[in-house]
Amino acid sequence: ALPIFTGRSKSLEAQLKIYHRFQSEDGFFSRTSKLEHFAADNIDTRPEIITKLLDHRLAQVRQSILQHPNVTSEHITKGLDDRKPLVREMAISNRNATPEHISKALDDRSESVRRTAVLHRNATPEHIIKALNDKDSSRVREAAASLKLSAKR
């Protein structure tokens, strides 16, 4: 296995050198699956590296890093502004998403982002009411209704 982003002793500069070593001239990682595996799964991946990877050209890398436990509120906000719906969906599914993030995601043009938002553990009753009134998606309304019914039990 490659020693990417391992160990707390590595400085940010050393981690960035490793990051750049796996990047080819056209900006794509030559070993993308290994990089995202280590970055997303390694508890020692620093927030500065997460910030850098959220600018990556491959949506798969941006999606993967948004699952990391060190993702901050700022990372989630950036993920919710991504052009790819799957990246936005991954951003709102992060456990660190706040009610403000959920409000923003409920206004997203993607049905899957709105559905994921209303099912988030930090969704408030106001979010559920908003989702129950989603005029564009029966799936979002059904997800909200299921939460409303389970809360009554």
Side-chain angles (χ1 to χ4, degrees), residues 14 22 25 34 36 39 52 65 78 91 105 108 117 119 130 134 141 144:
F22 288 96
E25 289 180 14
K34 288 189 179 197
E36 62 190 19
K52 184 77 172 165
I65 202 64
K78 185 170 185 161
D108 197 277
L119 293 173
K130 182 173 184 168
D134 189 315
R141 290 191 305 270

Side-chain angles (χ1 to χ4, degrees), residues 8-66:
R8 289 196 168 97
S9 62
K10 288 201 184 289
S11 68
L12 174 61
E13 294 77 24
Q15 289 186 27
L16 285 172
K17 283 180 186 175
I18 293 169
Y19 166 85
H20 290 296
R21 190 175 80 202
F22 288 96
Q23 199 172 24
S24 65
E25 289 180 14
D26 63 358
F28 287 90
F29 284 103
S30 56
R31 300 180 185 181
T32 301
S33 63
K34 288 189 179 197
L35 176 70
E36 62 190 19
H37 169 75
F38 283 107
D41 292 341
N42 190 321
I43 193 67
D44 294 326
T45 299
R46 299 171 68 187
E48 298 91 334
I49 299 298
I50 294 170
T51 299
K52 184 77 172 165
L53 290 173
L54 284 174
D55 289 328
H56 197 274
R57 289 174 49 184
L58 292 177
Q60 183 181 11
V61 172
R62 298 190 308 271
Q63 272 178 253
S64 181
I65 202 64
L66 282 165

